[in-house]
Amino acid sequence: MRTAPTPQPSSRRTDRRTSPAGPVRSASLPGLDQVDWDRIQDSSGSAAAVPGLLDRVATGDAETARAALAELRARICQYGFVVEQATAATVPFLWELAQRPEVACRAQIIRLLKNIADARQWESTAAVYPKLLNHRENHVVWERAARRAVRARRAAIERLMAEDDTEITRVTSELARTLGD
């Protein structure tokens, strides 16, 4: 006599943002779905919320965009100087948003890029406590990767400096000084 099969635990992940049609994709920022956000960390744990926050910055009204950017800042550059593993992956999208005239909080995005470029919290600490470099989660490596990511897209500075918006040109010149451009 056969018995009914007993339910087996599923090996399928249930923590990914999916819809019946497949993974949730961002139409506003190409390439956003190419990053495996679930596997990298921000200050709150999994960086799975980062794409949604970037989308809200990209498409939201001024209040929505600023609130999303504030939450994103807390996740990838906490206190304005502590970067996380997800920071370097987020930087190219920040550069993209900073160049879009329709984005409501562009000056704040450029300030965030400057904060990331200035970040040396973990590197400074590791200079005094070198054992930090031996940890599995190497924050110094994340910090350096984030700074490299900002520098890698600095060609956009010239376009931003050419804008008519004085606040954009002011914060961009501050970022350029930080990068040595």
Side-chain angles (χ1 to χ4, degrees), residues 147-167:
R147 287 197 312 263
R148 276 193 309 273
V150 173
R151 292 184 84 55
R153 304 279 177 138
R154 71 181 182 267
I157 288 175
E158 191 174 322
R159 286 186 296 278
L160 292 168
M161 291 297 291
E163 294 204 14
D164 292 333
D165 186 324
T166 56
E167 185 179 16

Side-chain angles (χ1 to χ4, degrees), residues 5 9-10 30-31 42-43 49 51 66 78 86-87 96-97 100 104 123 132 136 148 150 154-155 159 168-169 179:
S10 172
D42 65 18
S43 67
R66 284 187 182 95
Q78 198 171 31
T87 307
E96 171 70 26
L97 293 170
R100 293 183 177 185
E123 196 170 54
L132 281 176
R136 185 177 64 83
R148 276 193 309 273
V150 173
R154 71 181 182 267
R159 286 186 296 278
I168 295 295
T169 57
L179 297 176

Side-chain angles (χ1 to χ4, degrees), residues 109-178:
I109 293 169
I110 297 167
R111 280 190 198 101
L112 176 54
L113 288 167
K114 181 187 181 306
N115 290 146
I116 293 167
D118 280 336
R120 285 174 175 69
Q121 171 71 18
W122 293 106
E123 196 170 54
S124 299
T125 305
V128 179
Y129 301 103
K131 288 184 179 182
L132 281 176
L133 299 172
N134 298 330
H135 286 225
R136 185 177 64 83
E137 293 181 345
N138 192 330
H139 291 80
V140 175
V141 170
W142 298 348
E143 198 172 69
R144 289 175 180 161
R147 287 197 312 263
R148 276 193 309 273
V150 173
R151 292 184 84 55
R153 304 279 177 138
R154 71 181 182 267
I157 288 175
E158 191 174 322
R159 286 186 296 278
L160 292 168
M161 291 297 291
E163 294 204 14
D164 292 333
D165 186 324
T166 56
E167 185 179 16
I168 295 295
T169 57
R170 183 178 52 76
V171 295
T172 300
S173 64
E174 291 172 9
L175 174 58
R177 279 193 298 276
T178 295

